[in-house]
Amino acid sequence: MTLSRFGRPLLAAILCLSAGAALAAEDDQSSTTPAIEALRAHLAEEFPRFQVDAIRPTPLDGVYEVVSNTDVMYMGADGRYLLRGQLIDLQAKRNLTGQRRSQLVHARVEALGEESMVVFGRDDVAAGNTITVFTDPTCPYCRKLHEDVLQMVEQYPVQVRYLMFPRQGLQSGAADQLRDIWCADDPQQALTRAKRGQSVPERDDGCKTPLRQHFQAARAVGVNGTPFLMIGDGGPVFSGYRPTSELLSMLGISPDQGQAQAGASD
């Protein structure tokens, strides 16, 4: 069936707007029905190098979701055909594939631990009012975003958490700069200085950083450029700069909340 010229914009809107919507709580573990166990056994025998982390039913009869790392794909019960693409619930206007992948990306990043991140904002913000960012201090749009972040955390009940992703690799100048930032006496101040093109003191040679773990996690979830943002707890996941108003909207925060926070701090 060919989509009409009216149907295509609707489908595009669903793909763009619903891909990162927050998911309801659900079990991440594989189902254990006989059909799924048979599919798992078939894949293990025929494709022993193919990592299968989870298998579960989809709303389509006889079609199963197969997860490998943060890759979401679909298979029939016999394991013969594999489909990569977007599974969309047109009635509910939900991109099921995008939602599932967002959940997997968030889980992978959360496993790094907040103690390995450089965090801006108050500690008492509501659960989910967080923006997590893979950043590179040499990236122009990362610098632009950071200036917004400094104002955002002052005006709104938001916490922004930074992870390290040197775009040119672990042996680049940006990687050295990120190590210096993480090892600084005040990592927040050092990150802000670096984003403004100012110098940061070189680290102590004995200082250990989570840079390699951050870089490996970024690669695992598909980060190719910066800034790479994860909204809230299971919310949208995307690359590129977005203005403050758009980020706040994704978090469900209104401008009035910023006024209330400003009044409370006076």
Side-chain angles (χ1 to χ4, degrees), residues 39 42-43 47 50 62-66 73-84:
L39 176 57
H42 170 77
L43 293 174
F47 309 101
F50 178 49
V63 177
Y64 296 89
E65 175 192 276
V66 179
M73 61 206 84
Y74 304 96
M75 287 186 179
D78 62 2
R80 178 176 178 179
Y81 297 103
L82 181 147
L83 175 66
R84 278 193 171 94

Side-chain angles (χ1 to χ4, degrees), residues 120-121 148-156 158-160 261:
F120 288 77
D148 293 348
V149 164
L150 295 176
Q151 296 183 33
M152 192 188 315
V153 298
E154 287 292 327
Q155 299 175 13
Y156 296 93
V158 175
Q159 190 178 78
V160 178
Q261 174 158 313

Side-chain angles (χ1 to χ4, degrees), residues 6 44 130 136 150 187 189 222 249 252:
F6 300 105
T130 58
D136 178 330
L150 295 176
Q189 181 185 69
S249 177

Side-chain angles (χ1 to χ4, degrees), residues 68-71 101 104-106 108-109 134 165 214-230 237-240:
S68 179
N69 193 18
T70 58
D71 194 5
R101 184 174 183 279
L104 295 167
V105 170
H106 277 274
R108 178 70 174 82
V109 171
F134 279 102
F165 182 72
H214 286 193
F215 189 82
Q216 291 172 342
R219 287 298 192 202
V221 303
V223 177
N224 292 312
T226 53
F228 183 91
L229 294 85
M230 291 150 282
V237 172
F238 54 90
S239 292

